[in-house]
Amino acid sequence: MRRGEILALQWQDYTPAQQTLVVQRALAHIPGRGVIVKGTKTDRIRVVKINASLAAILDQHREQTTSNSPTDWICARPDGAHLNPHSFSTYFTALAARLQLHGVTLHGLRHTHATALIAAGIPVKVVSERLGHATVAMTQDVYAHVTPTMQQRAADVIEAQWQQRSVPSP
């Protein structure tokens, strides 16, 4: 998810039983206006299936926070107010440095996620939906660097099938 989409998640967007998040808004900092709630980059609502480990972390977080009514922010300050996108990025950068994760950026994690999914053979359509791209072509253009590995894997699969075919004896 994009930074603003993460920060705009409310508890009503999380369905524990289905392990899904509904991405329908984003927070953005507008100079002179402060932080505002707006639509997603493509103005589309998407449902993202999350893994069981993340769902467990969200469940634990909800139990430990006092701001857990449906319209409360999932990522919130101690007083329940939304986080400032710039402050969140600054915090993440400092955390990455403290953990000695050199070169790791918040947005870079989004790219790593997409690249790993494509490299694992997840259909580009599914990856595109998870990322909230307007078109599959956008996803293919941005992550074209993964394709050569997939091309080799496709050639290897065909080779294995050819090797298994029965060849008549001369």
Side-chain angles (χ1 to χ4, degrees):
M1 293 171 53
R2 296 172 183 93
R3 175 187 68 180
E5 294 170 344
I6 294 168
L7 297 179
L9 288 171
Q10 297 175 331
W11 286 115
Q12 66 187 354
D13 301 323
Y14 172 53
T15 307
Q18 282 78 40
Q19 296 180 339
T20 58
L21 292 169
V22 177
V23 182
Q24 57 187 325
R25 70 188 81 74
L27 291 185
H29 181 265
I30 307 296
R33 290 182 55 199
V35 177
I36 64 162
V37 179
K38 63 182 199 77
T40 63
K41 186 173 180 181
T42 58
D43 285 322
R44 293 183 182 164
I45 295 172
R46 68 186 189 276
V47 178
V48 178
K49 178 81 173 164
I50 61 172
N51 58 305
S53 297
L54 178 55
I57 290 168
L58 284 174
D59 294 340
Q60 182 180 19
H61 174 57
R62 189 169 198 172
E63 290 174 12
Q64 294 174 347
T65 185
T66 57
S67 300
N68 59 15
S69 67
T71 57
D72 286 340
W73 307 108
I74 292 176
C75 299
R77 296 188 331 208
D79 65 1
H82 62 72
L83 296 172
N84 181 300
H86 291 304
S87 299
F88 184 68
S89 291
T90 300
Y91 171 79
F92 182 86
T93 301
L95 177 64
R98 191 169 70 239
L99 296 174
Q100 298 181 358
L101 299 173
H102 306 291
V104 174
T105 66
L106 192 56
H107 199 72
L109 293 177
R110 177 177 159 85
H111 287 292
T112 300
H113 174 77
T115 301
L117 291 177
I118 293 169
I122 302 301
V124 175
K125 173 75 172 147
V126 173
V127 176
S128 181
E129 289 170 356
R130 288 179 69 81
L131 295 175
H133 283 166
T135 65
V136 174
M138 164 76 174
T139 309
Q140 290 171 322
D141 288 346
V142 173
Y143 297 99
H145 64 281
V146 183
T147 305
T149 303
M150 294 176 73
Q151 287 284 358
Q152 182 59 54
R153 191 164 54 190
D156 293 345
V157 166
I158 294 299
E159 180 62 24
Q161 289 177 353
W162 277 36
Q163 293 299 325
Q164 293 175 2
R165 75 185 193 288
S166 58
V167 179
S169 300

